[in-house]
Amino acid sequence: MNLADYIRTVPDFPKPGILFRDITTLLAEPAVFRQAVIEMAEPFKNEKIDVVAAAEARGFIFAAPVALGLNAALAPIRKPGKLPYKTKSLTYELEYGSDTLEIHADAIPPGARVLVVDDLLATGGTIEACCRLVEQVGGAVVGCAFLIELTELGGAKKIERYKTVSLVKF
Amino acid sequence: MNLADYIRTVPDFPKPGILFRDITTLLAEPAVFRQAVIEMAEPFKNEKIDVVAAAEARGFIFAAPVALGLNAALAPIRKPGKLPYKTKSLTYELEYGSDTLEIHADAIPPGARVLVVDDLLATGGTIEACCRLVEQVGGAVVGCAFLIELTELGGAKKIERYKTVSLVKF
């Protein structure tokens, strides 16, 4: 099974000139979705992962089953105003403008070993923000796992201090 | 294991007078999260579910492992502008204002049997919109599964034509 065969490319989304990698065609095939989750978790199964952290929304699709597969907790990272309890937030720069993410202050037990999961590694801004948030609330980031990596955007550079796995590279 | 014991109540969120049911404390306990997913899927395991559909973002957290547990596809339902391919959209009324959700036009094979999953059933507006979207693109909604139901808000009435399961009632 070649996971890349199940990812649809949609041209000119969200704007002209962008080739969008659409994961919904992969999610439509249960055996393929299962295989992707297994392959994202596999490299970390001996890393004693306590918590899987992920940013909404697509990140949750992979992080939830990866967490269950690793017998780890799931710590959601969200847009501002979504998490009800005490939070830590972090604002980071995008190509145009900035974005903010939040995590519950008690989401990560002190010293917990954390795997950060997302569907896609592009410029790395979001995953770097997630890793920093995890560290700010006391976690130890062990690694990052992605379904897709857009290699020419160079996001891997931003998280090179962690063990990183991406299943499909474009 | 009593799932309700793992749901934290946060008073006055998102506004004064609201008791917010916080699922992140349940997600922090892998065995409890696993049990919740098993119990959401269990009533539908002989229903030949082809697709699990769910609205972002918290819905994905339960829908992804429920889909894998039922060996079903996962069809994401999203806010406008997030899905890259051809979509159907539906605008529905909220207590104040309205909201719009979208599904890919090809998300559901014709006649597929669909389970719609969300973390919480409140007034039922969102789940009803999801069921209608599924039907608009050719699916047959078999049932709905929730972790939490806020019974006094009466959302169950809106989906009474479907088999509905909620694990924790407040």
Side-chain angles (χ1 to χ4, degrees), chain A residues 8 10 13 20 22 24 27-28 30 33-34 37 56-58 60-61 64-65 68 71-74 76 78 81-85 104 106, chain B residues 8 10 13 20 22 24 27-28 30 33-34 37 56-58 60-61 64-65 68 71-74 76 78 81-85 104 106:
Chain A
R8 171 166 57 189
V10 180
F13 185 89
F20 189 88
D22 177 14
T24 65
L27 302 175
F33 179 25
R34 185 185 314 280
V37 166
E56 65 174 300
R58 286 194 307 260
F60 293 173
I61 292 174
L68 290 169
N71 203 30
L74 176 65
R78 303 212 56 186
K82 296 289 187 181
L83 289 168
Y85 196 64
H104 268 157
D106 67 349
Chain B
R8 171 166 58 189
V10 180
F13 185 90
F20 190 88
D22 178 14
T24 66
L27 302 175
F33 180 24
R34 184 184 314 280
V37 167
E56 66 173 300
R58 286 194 306 259
F60 293 174
I61 292 174
L68 290 169
N71 203 32
L74 176 66
R78 302 211 58 187
K82 295 290 185 180
L83 289 168
Y85 196 65
H104 268 157
D106 67 348

Side-chain angles (χ1 to χ4, degrees), chain B residues 42-156:
Chain B
E42 169 68 25
F44 299 96
K45 75 180 192 331
N46 295 321
E47 296 278 7
K48 302 183 192 304
I49 301 297
D50 301 302
V51 180
V52 172
E56 66 173 300
R58 286 194 306 259
F60 293 174
I61 292 174
F62 294 92
V66 166
L68 290 169
L70 293 171
N71 203 32
L74 176 66
I77 296 173
R78 302 211 58 187
K79 300 280 169 67
K82 295 290 185 180
L83 289 168
Y85 196 65
K86 293 170 206 132
T87 59
K88 282 270 185 184
S89 75
L90 190 149
T91 298
Y92 61 104
E93 301 303 310
L94 297 172
E95 195 181 358
Y96 304 103
S98 66
D99 212 344
T100 301
L101 288 172
E102 294 187 345
I103 192 169
H104 268 157
D106 67 348
I108 314 277
R113 294 172 60 80
V114 181
L115 172 65
V116 188
V117 165
D118 208 350
D119 67 321
L120 180 83
L121 174 60
T123 64
T126 300
I127 195 79
E128 189 184 28
C130 290
C131 292
R132 286 187 180 173
L133 277 172
V134 165
E135 289 165 349
Q136 278 182 21
V137 297
V141 175
V142 173
C144 304
F146 307 92
L147 175 64
I148 301 169
E149 178 178 348
L150 305 180
T151 51
E152 70 184 18
L153 297 180

Side-chain angles (χ1 to χ4, degrees), chain A residues 12-134:
Chain A
D12 300 323
F13 185 89
K15 51 189 180 184
I18 305 286
L19 290 180
F20 189 88
R21 306 301 179 171
D22 177 14
I23 61 164
T24 65
T25 37
L26 182 146
L27 302 175
E29 299 289 339
V32 185
F33 179 25
R34 185 185 314 280
Q35 185 65 25
V37 166
I38 289 169
E39 290 186 28
M40 288 170 81
E42 169 68 25
F44 299 96
K45 74 182 195 326
N46 296 318
E47 295 279 6
K48 300 182 194 302
I49 301 299
D50 300 303
V51 180
V52 171
E56 65 174 300
R58 286 194 307 260
F60 293 173
I61 292 174
F62 294 92
V66 166
L68 290 169
L70 293 171
N71 203 30
L74 176 65
I77 296 173
R78 303 212 56 186
K79 300 282 170 65
K82 296 289 187 181
L83 289 168
Y85 196 64
K86 293 171 207 133
T87 59
K88 283 270 186 186
S89 76
L90 190 149
T91 298
Y92 61 104
E93 300 304 311
L94 297 172
E95 196 182 355
Y96 304 102
S98 66
D99 213 344
T100 300
L101 288 172
E102 293 188 345
I103 192 169
H104 268 157
D106 67 349
I108 314 278
R113 295 171 61 79
V114 181
L115 172 64
V116 187
V117 165
D118 208 350
D119 67 321
L120 180 83
L121 174 61
T123 63
T126 300
I127 194 78
E128 190 184 27
C130 289
C131 292
R132 285 187 181 171
L133 276 172
V134 165

